[in-house]
Amino acid sequence: MAQLFIFGLGYTAKRIADAAEGLGWDVVSTGSDGTLQFDDETAVRDALAGSAAVLSSVPPDRDTGGDPVLERYGDALSQDWLGYLSSTGVYGDAQGAWVDEGTPAGGGRRSARTECDAAWIDRGARVFRLPGIYGPERSALDRVRAGKAHRIDLPGQVFSRIHVDDIVSGVIAALTGDAPAGAYNLGDDLPASHNAVTEEACRLLGLDPPPLQTMDEAGLSEMARGFYAENRRVANGKAKRVLDWRPRYPTFREGLRGLI
């Protein structure tokens, strides 16, 4: 039984671990719900030595901007398969234009993520660039139900997004299909505004959508304001061609209906 080591067993990585175990992989991991403590260096290095594949979902350090995994365990990453969950934020603002893996990274607000993304690519990893992630207990449906949904008056603003199950299928396809190293965008087929997603969630729940507001009226945090400062459409053609991947939820409409 091959072993997969996962750094950072969070929302998405837990589901990847479940899928890998279902295929017969033995999974060891760090994180609050993992099997090992990140700073237990002896145990982590022993597990890495016995692993055929390594996946990291650990974000850059908030203070230094460095990659915690590469900084502490980079010398132990000699496995044939390395994977890293990154962000499409590395592309920055494209003013609504399409971006793909050939679009230069950098120049956006996530400079630390861009540097970590590049460091993993230099290591020969499969780097999965992810847009807004949604899924069970983390979607527009939950925000609407909780009374926390909003619509911002920004005509022409679009984003890409991805259902967590489609991230899982993309990563598993790369893990089991001997995918070449490099970057892969995993996003759905229909970039759309945040407002459109909120309106669809309200329609499915039989509720009126919230009123249009400015960002000041909505009281958005600085992080949320940064989200709205970038406008792009993320192309997924490479993942479809190379990984033979197809999203189960090609648009937010199917994704939200699947969560009802």
Side-chain angles (χ1 to χ4, degrees):
M1 182 182 294
Q3 181 166 286
L4 169 65
F5 192 109
I6 297 180
F7 282 104
L9 198 69
Y11 181 76
T12 300
K14 285 180 184 177
R15 289 163 170 79
I16 295 172
D18 288 344
E21 288 176 340
L23 294 173
W25 288 77
D26 179 29
V27 178
V28 293
S29 57
T30 68
S32 58
D33 294 322
T35 60
L36 299 173
Q37 294 296 318
F38 181 82
D39 57 1
D40 187 346
E41 193 151 337
T42 298
V44 169
R45 288 182 176 275
D46 285 346
L48 285 172
S51 297
V54 175
L55 175 71
S56 174
S57 69
V58 177
D61 184 273
R62 291 184 178 181
D63 296 324
T64 68
D67 187 287
V69 173
L70 293 180
E71 289 178 349
R72 187 156 190 174
Y73 297 111
D75 62 327
L77 300 180
S78 59
Q79 296 77 9
D80 290 336
W81 196 95
L82 300 176
Y84 177 63
L85 302 187
S86 184
S87 166
T88 55
V90 301
Y91 296 116
D93 180 27
Q95 299 181 23
W98 287 92
V99 297
D100 61 19
E101 293 85 352
T103 303
R109 59 192 173 92
R110 298 186 180 181
S111 57
R113 177 66 86 174
T114 301
E115 292 175 3
C116 294
D117 179 295
W120 279 96
I121 287 179
D122 287 345
R123 287 264 179 171
R126 290 84 183 154
V127 172
F128 306 97
R129 292 174 176 167
L130 311 176
I133 302 170
Y134 72 100
E137 301 179 359
R138 189 178 292 189
S139 76
L141 295 167
D142 301 288
R143 292 190 294 274
V144 170
R145 289 184 180 117
K148 297 180 179 179
H150 58 255
R151 293 191 300 153
I152 302 300
D153 189 10
L154 283 175
Q157 192 80 10
V158 295
F159 311 99
S160 291
R161 53 194 52 78
I162 184 73
H163 192 290
V164 66
D165 288 350
D166 288 327
I167 299 173
V168 173
S169 65
V171 173
I172 292 297
L175 176 64
T176 60
D178 195 26
Y184 296 90
N185 293 336
L186 296 181
D188 71 14
D189 293 337
L190 184 65
S193 69
H194 181 84
N195 293 350
V197 178
T198 297
E199 290 160 7
E200 178 66 5
C202 290
R203 187 188 70 81
L204 290 170
L205 294 173
L207 299 173
D208 292 331
L212 283 174
Q213 297 176 298
T214 66
M215 285 193 285
D216 287 339
E217 289 171 338
L220 297 183
S221 66
E222 287 302 313
M223 180 177 294
R225 286 173 179 268
F227 178 79
Y228 279 100
E230 296 179 350
N231 183 1
R232 60 181 168 266
R233 293 170 166 86
V234 178
N236 60 17
K238 179 181 176 181
K240 289 180 175 179
R241 292 191 309 272
V242 179
L243 305 180
D244 195 25
W245 169 80
R246 296 294 184 276
R248 178 181 178 183
Y249 304 102
T251 81
F252 64 88
R253 297 186 184 97
E254 292 89 351
L256 292 178
R257 281 201 299 270
L259 294 171
I260 289 291

